[in-house]
Coordinates of all heavy atoms in Angstrom, one line a residue:
R267 N -7.7 9.6 -5.8 CA -8.0 8.5 -6.7 C -7.3 8.6 -8.1 O -7.0 7.6 -8.6 CB -9.5 8.5 -7.0 CG -10.4 8.0 -5.7 CD -11.7 7.8 -6.2 NE -12.6 7.2 -5.1 CZ -12.7 5.9 -4.9 NH1 -12.0 5.0 -5.6 NH2 -13.5 5.4 -3.9
R268 N -7.1 9.8 -8.6 CA -6.4 9.9 -9.8 C -5.0 9.4 -9.7 O -4.4 8.7 -10.5 CB -6.3 11.4 -10.2 CG -5.7 11.6 -11.6 CD -5.4 13.1 -11.9 NE -4.2 13.5 -11.2 CZ -3.0 13.4 -11.5 NH1 -2.7 12.7 -12.6 NH2 -2.0 13.9 -10.8
R269 N -4.3 9.8 -8.6 CA -2.9 9.2 -8.4 C -2.9 7.7 -8.1 O -2.0 7.0 -8.6 CB -2.3 10.0 -7.2 CG -2.1 11.5 -7.5 CD -1.3 12.2 -6.4 NE -1.3 13.7 -6.7 CZ -0.5 14.5 -6.2 NH1 0.4 14.1 -5.3 NH2 -0.6 15.8 -6.6
Y270 N -3.9 7.2 -7.4 CA -4.0 5.8 -7.2 C -4.2 5.1 -8.5 O -3.6 4.0 -8.7 CB -5.0 5.4 -6.2 CG -5.1 3.9 -6.0 CD1 -4.1 3.2 -5.5 CD2 -6.1 3.2 -6.8 CE1 -4.1 1.8 -5.4 CE2 -6.1 1.7 -6.8 CZ -5.1 1.1 -6.1 OH -5.1 -0.3 -6.1
D271 N -5.1 5.6 -9.3 CA -5.3 5.0 -10.6 C -4.1 4.8 -11.5 O -3.8 3.8 -12.2 CB -6.3 5.8 -11.4 CG -7.8 5.6 -10.8 OD1 -8.0 4.7 -10.1 OD2 -8.6 6.4 -11.2
R272 N -3.2 5.8 -11.4 CA -1.9 5.7 -12.1 C -1.1 4.6 -11.5 O -0.4 3.9 -12.2 CB -1.1 7.1 -12.1 CG -1.7 8.2 -12.8 CD -1.8 8.0 -14.3 NE -0.4 7.7 -14.9 CZ 0.4 8.6 -15.2 NH1 0.0 9.9 -15.1 NH2 1.6 8.4 -15.7
L273 N -1.1 4.5 -10.2 CA -0.3 3.4 -9.5 C -0.9 2.1 -9.9 O 0.0 1.1 -10.2 CB -0.3 3.6 -8.0 CG 0.2 2.5 -7.2 CD1 1.6 2.2 -7.4 CD2 -0.1 2.8 -5.7
A274 N -2.2 1.9 -9.9 CA -2.8 0.7 -10.2 C -2.5 0.2 -11.7 O -2.5 -1.0 -11.9 CB -4.3 0.7 -9.9
E275 N -2.3 1.1 -12.5 CA -1.9 0.8 -13.9 C -0.5 0.0 -14.0 O -0.3 -0.8 -14.8 CB -1.9 2.0 -14.8 CG -3.3 2.6 -15.1 CD -3.1 3.9 -15.8 OE1 -1.9 4.3 -16.2 OE2 -4.1 4.6 -16.1
I276 N 0.3 0.4 -13.0 CA 1.6 -0.1 -12.9 C 1.6 -1.5 -12.2 O 2.2 -2.5 -12.5 CB 2.6 0.9 -12.3 CG1 2.6 2.2 -13.0 CG2 4.0 0.3 -12.2 CD1 3.1 3.3 -12.2
D277 N 1.0 -1.4 -10.9 CA 0.9 -2.5 -10.0 C -0.4 -2.6 -9.3 O -0.6 -1.8 -8.4 CB 2.0 -2.4 -8.9 CG 2.1 -3.5 -8.0 OD1 1.3 -4.4 -8.1 OD2 3.0 -3.6 -7.2
P278 N -1.4 -3.4 -9.7 CA -2.7 -3.4 -9.3 C -2.8 -3.9 -7.8 O -3.9 -3.7 -7.2 CB -3.5 -4.3 -10.2 CG -2.5 -5.2 -10.8 CD -1.2 -4.4 -10.9
H279 N -1.7 -4.4 -7.3 CA -1.8 -5.0 -5.9 C -0.7 -4.3 -5.0 O -0.2 -5.0 -4.1 CB -1.6 -6.5 -5.9 CG -2.6 -7.2 -6.8 ND1 -3.9 -7.2 -6.6 CD2 -2.3 -8.0 -7.9 CE1 -4.5 -7.9 -7.5 NE2 -3.6 -8.4 -8.3
H280 N -0.4 -3.1 -5.3 CA 0.7 -2.4 -4.5 C 0.1 -1.9 -3.2 O -0.5 -0.9 -3.0 CB 1.1 -1.2 -5.3 CG 2.5 -0.9 -4.9 ND1 3.7 -1.5 -5.2 CD2 3.0 0.2 -4.1 CE1 4.8 -0.9 -4.7 NE2 4.3 0.2 -4.0
L281 N 0.2 -2.8 -2.2 CA -0.4 -2.6 -0.9 C -0.1 -1.2 -0.2 O -0.9 -0.6 0.4 CB 0.0 -3.7 0.1 CG -0.6 -3.6 1.5 CD1 -2.1 -3.4 1.5 CD2 -0.2 -4.8 2.4
P282 N 1.2 -0.7 -0.2 CA 1.5 0.6 0.4 C 0.6 1.7 -0.2 O 0.0 2.6 0.6 CB 3.0 0.8 0.1 CG 3.6 -0.6 0.0 CD 2.5 -1.4 -0.7
G283 N 0.5 1.7 -1.4 CA -0.4 2.7 -2.1 C -1.9 2.5 -1.8 O -2.6 3.5 -1.5
Q284 N -2.3 1.3 -1.7 CA -3.7 1.0 -1.4 C -4.0 1.5 0.0 O -5.1 2.0 0.3 CB -4.0 -0.5 -1.6 CG -3.9 -1.0 -3.0 CD -4.0 -2.5 -3.1 OE1 -3.7 -3.2 -2.2 NE2 -4.4 -2.9 -4.3
S285 N -3.1 1.2 0.9 CA -3.3 1.7 2.4 C -3.4 3.2 2.4 O -4.2 3.8 3.2 CB -2.2 1.2 3.2 OG -2.2 -0.2 3.4
E286 N -2.5 3.9 1.6 CA -2.7 5.4 1.5 C -4.0 5.8 1.0 O -4.6 6.8 1.6 CB -1.6 5.9 0.6 CG -0.2 5.9 1.2 CD 0.0 6.8 2.4 OE1 -0.7 7.8 2.5 OE2 0.8 6.4 3.3
L287 N -4.6 5.1 0.0 CA -5.9 5.5 -0.5 C -7.0 5.2 0.5 O -7.9 6.0 0.7 CB -6.2 4.9 -1.8 CG -7.5 5.5 -2.5 CD1 -7.3 7.0 -2.8 CD2 -7.8 4.7 -3.8
V288 N -6.9 4.1 1.3 CA -7.9 3.8 2.3 C -7.9 5.1 3.3 O -8.9 5.6 3.7 CB -7.5 2.6 3.1 CG1 -8.4 2.5 4.4 CG2 -7.8 1.4 2.3
Q289 N -6.7 5.5 3.6 CA -6.7 6.7 4.6 C -7.3 7.9 3.9 O -8.1 8.6 4.5 CB -5.2 7.1 4.9 CG -4.5 6.1 5.8 CD -5.0 6.2 7.2 OE1 -5.5 7.2 7.7 NE2 -4.9 5.1 7.9
Q290 N -7.0 8.2 2.6 CA -7.5 9.3 1.9 C -9.1 9.2 1.9 O -9.8 10.3 1.9 CB -7.0 9.4 0.5 CG -7.6 10.5 -0.4 CD -7.2 11.8 0.0 OE1 -6.0 12.2 -0.2 NE2 -8.0 12.6 0.7
L291 N -9.7 8.0 1.8 CA -11.1 7.9 1.6 C -11.9 7.9 2.9 O -13.1 7.9 2.9 CB -11.4 6.5 0.9 CG -10.9 6.4 -0.6 CD1 -11.1 5.0 -1.1 CD2 -11.6 7.5 -1.4
T292 N -11.2 8.1 4.0 CA -11.8 8.2 5.3 C -12.4 9.7 5.5 O -11.9 10.6 4.9 CB -11.0 7.9 6.5 OG1 -9.9 8.8 6.6 CG2 -10.4 6.5 6.4
P293 N -13.4 9.8 6.4 CA -14.0 11.2 6.5 C -13.0 12.2 7.0 O -13.1 13.4 6.7 CB -15.0 11.0 7.7 CG -15.5 9.5 7.5 CD -14.3 8.8 7.0
R294 N -11.9 11.8 7.8 CA -10.9 12.7 8.2 C -10.3 13.5 7.0 O -9.8 14.6 7.2 CB -9.8 12.0 9.0 CG -8.8 12.9 9.5 CD -7.9 12.2 10.6 NE -7.5 10.8 10.2 CZ -6.6 10.1 10.8 NH1 -6.1 10.5 11.9 NH2 -6.4 8.8 10.5
W295 N -10.2 12.8 5.9 CA -9.5 13.4 4.8 C -10.4 13.7 3.6 O -10.0 13.8 2.4 CB -8.4 12.5 4.3 CG -7.3 12.3 5.4 CD1 -7.2 11.2 6.1 CD2 -6.3 13.2 5.8 NE1 -6.1 11.3 7.0 CE2 -5.6 12.6 6.8 CE3 -5.9 14.4 5.3 CZ2 -4.5 13.2 7.5 CZ3 -4.8 15.1 6.0 CH2 -4.1 14.4 7.0
G296 N -11.7 13.8 3.9 CA -12.7 14.2 2.8 C -13.5 13.1 2.2 O -14.4 13.4 1.4
G297 N -13.4 11.9 2.6 CA -14.1 10.8 2.1 C -15.3 10.3 3.0 O -15.7 11.1 3.8
T298 N -15.6 9.0 2.8 CA -16.7 8.5 3.7 C -16.3 7.1 4.1 O -15.5 6.4 3.5 CB -18.1 8.4 3.0 OG1 -17.9 7.5 1.9 CG2 -18.4 9.7 2.4
W299 N -16.9 6.6 5.2 CA -16.5 5.3 5.6 C -17.0 4.3 4.6 O -16.3 3.2 4.4 CB -17.2 5.0 7.0 CG -16.8 5.7 8.1 CD1 -17.6 6.5 9.0 CD2 -15.4 5.9 8.6 NE1 -16.8 7.1 9.9 CE2 -15.5 6.8 9.7 CE3 -14.2 5.4 8.2 CZ2 -14.3 7.1 10.4 CZ3 -13.0 5.7 8.9 CH2 -13.1 6.6 10.0
A300 N -18.1 4.5 3.9 CA -18.6 3.6 2.9 C -17.5 3.5 1.8 O -17.3 2.4 1.2 CB -19.9 4.1 2.4
D301 N -17.0 4.6 1.4 CA -16.0 4.6 0.3 C -14.7 3.9 0.7 O -14.2 3.1 -0.1 CB -15.7 6.1 -0.1 CG -16.8 6.7 -0.9 OD1 -17.7 6.0 -1.4 OD2 -16.7 8.0 -1.0
A302 N -14.3 4.1 1.9 CA -13.1 3.4 2.4 C -13.2 2.0 2.5 O -12.4 1.2 2.0 CB -12.7 4.0 3.7
L303 N -14.4 1.5 3.0 CA -14.7 0.0 3.1 C -14.8 -0.6 1.8 O -14.4 -1.6 1.5 CB -15.8 -0.1 4.0 CG -15.6 0.0 5.5 CD1 -16.8 0.1 6.3 CD2 -14.7 -1.2 6.0
A304 N -15.6 0.1 0.9 CA -15.8 -0.4 -0.5 C -14.5 -0.6 -1.2 O -14.3 -1.7 -1.9 CB -16.7 0.5 -1.3
F305 N -13.5 0.4 -1.1 CA -12.3 0.2 -1.8 C -11.5 -1.0 -1.2 O -10.9 -1.8 -1.9 CB -11.5 1.5 -1.7 CG -10.1 1.4 -2.2 CD1 -9.8 1.3 -3.6 CD2 -8.9 1.3 -1.4 CE1 -8.6 1.2 -4.1 CE2 -7.7 1.2 -1.9 CZ -7.5 1.1 -3.2
A306 N -11.5 -1.0 0.2 CA -10.7 -2.0 0.9 C -11.2 -3.4 0.5 O -10.4 -4.3 0.2 CB -10.8 -1.9 2.4
R307 N -12.6 -3.6 0.5 CA -13.2 -4.9 0.1 C -12.8 -5.2 -1.3 O -12.4 -6.4 -1.6 CB -14.7 -4.8 0.3 CG -15.1 -4.8 1.8 CD -16.5 -4.4 1.9 NE -17.0 -4.3 3.3 CZ -17.9 -3.5 3.7 NH1 -18.5 -2.6 2.9 NH2 -18.3 -3.5 5.0
E308 N -12.9 -4.3 -2.2 CA -12.7 -4.6 -3.6 C -11.2 -5.1 -3.9 O -11.0 -6.0 -4.5 CB -12.9 -3.3 -4.4 CG -12.5 -3.3 -5.9 CD -12.5 -1.9 -6.5 OE1 -13.5 -1.3 -6.4 OE2 -11.4 -1.5 -7.0
R309 N -10.3 -4.3 -3.3 CA -8.8 -4.7 -3.5 C -8.4 -5.9 -2.8 O -7.6 -6.7 -3.2 CB -7.9 -3.6 -3.1 CG -8.1 -2.3 -3.9 CD -8.5 -2.5 -5.3 NE -7.6 -3.3 -6.1 CZ -7.9 -3.9 -7.2 NH1 -9.1 -3.8 -7.8 NH2 -7.0 -4.6 -7.8
A310 N -9.1 -6.2 -1.6 CA -8.8 -7.4 -0.9 C -9.3 -8.6 -1.7 O -8.6 -9.6 -1.8 CB -9.5 -7.4 0.5
A311 N -10.5 -8.5 -2.2 CA -11.1 -9.6 -3.0 C -10.3 -9.9 -4.3 O -10.2 -11.0 -4.7 CB -12.6 -9.3 -3.3

């Protein structure tokens, strides 16, 4: 999230980076489905 926040300061709609964070937020990489979906919905909207 820290690295993504730096990216978002430069380009708030940078899809490749957003897709990377969705992966990071899944349980396989230490997150939760709720977190991954919440981020995806937020950036999509």
Side-chain angles (χ1 to χ4, degrees):
R267 282 193 179 274
R268 186 191 74 82
R269 296 184 184 198
Y270 175 75
D271 288 345
R272 291 295 303 274
L273 170 62
E275 291 173 1
I276 305 162
D277 184 353
H279 305 301
H280 202 76
L281 180 56
Q284 292 174 338
S285 292
E286 286 295 329
L287 189 61
V288 167
Q289 290 286 334
Q290 177 70 76
L291 294 175
T292 64
R294 177 170 45 174
W295 299 102
T298 67
W299 296 126
D301 286 344
L303 283 165
F305 174 76
R307 289 165 178 150
E308 171 194 303
R309 300 325 306 160

